[in-house]
Amino acid sequence: MPPAGDSSEKELQRLRRLPENRICPNCLKKDTLFGFSAVVVPFRTFVCDACKSAHQAFSHRCKSVSMSNWTMEEVRQLDGKNGGGNAAASARWFAHCRESQHPQPNGPQDALKEFIRRAYE
């Protein structure tokens, strides 16, 4: 029987690669390879490294997709069926936000922090 972590790891990788989770919900940066490597746990989003750093400035808990241990319950919370993932986050926090109001990918860290503060705090 495979270890319990194998199934949660496979599911996490599947969710990470979904098209909606390959666009950072904050700066709208597109990932073209394997999906983003960080998850903001309280908001259940896959984010780019710059937005991960901005979230950490507000003490939002972030986990690495590859370097952290994940339980199946944590992974399930990232599924869109359970209200997780970037599409659900965008619908919840950015429904009335025009694309032009998002900070630019790889833009100034202060702009990312201000956007995240306004959106999530």
Side-chain angles (χ1 to χ4, degrees), residues 20-62:
E20 61 268 25
N21 291 335
R22 292 173 66 176
I23 300 171
C24 181
N26 302 306
C27 70
L28 306 178
K29 179 178 182 176
K30 293 173 177 62
D31 180 87
T32 56
L33 296 174
F34 303 110
F36 295 114
S37 63
V39 170
V40 183
V41 176
F43 306 113
R44 301 185 275 178
T45 55
F46 293 85
V47 297
C48 68
D49 288 337
C51 288
K52 177 191 84 163
S53 295
H55 274 282
Q56 288 175 320
F58 297 100
S59 299
H60 299 159
R61 182 173 178 235
C62 297

Side-chain angles (χ1 to χ4, degrees):
M1 179 155 67
D6 284 357
S7 58
S8 61
E9 174 66 23
K10 285 180 183 176
E11 180 63 5
L12 180 61
Q13 293 301 326
R14 183 190 74 77
L15 293 171
R16 173 188 188 189
R17 289 181 173 98
L18 291 174
E20 61 268 25
N21 291 335
R22 292 173 66 176
I23 300 171
C24 181
N26 302 306
C27 70
L28 306 178
K29 179 178 182 176
K30 293 173 177 62
D31 180 87
T32 56
L33 296 174
F34 303 110
F36 295 114
S37 63
V39 170
V40 183
V41 176
F43 306 113
R44 301 185 275 178
T45 55
F46 293 85
V47 297
C48 68
D49 288 337
C51 288
K52 177 191 84 163
S53 295
H55 274 282
Q56 288 175 320
F58 297 100
S59 299
H60 299 159
R61 182 173 178 235
C62 297
K63 286 182 79 169
S64 168
V65 169
S66 60
M67 300 298 289
S68 297
N69 292 320
W70 290 84
T71 66
M72 186 52 93
E73 184 54 35
E74 287 175 314
V75 172
R76 283 187 190 114
Q77 291 299 309
L78 299 173
D79 196 324
K81 296 181 291 194
N82 299 318
N86 294 3
S90 293
R92 179 174 180 183
W93 286 293
F94 308 124
H96 302 292
C97 185
R98 292 185 314 274
E99 193 170 314
S100 63
Q101 293 175 303
H102 287 262
Q104 294 295 310
N106 303 315
Q109 190 68 12
D110 288 343
L112 288 172
K113 287 180 185 176
E114 180 58 22
F115 181 81
I116 287 168
R117 184 192 64 74
R118 285 193 328 260
Y120 297 100
E121 297 283 305

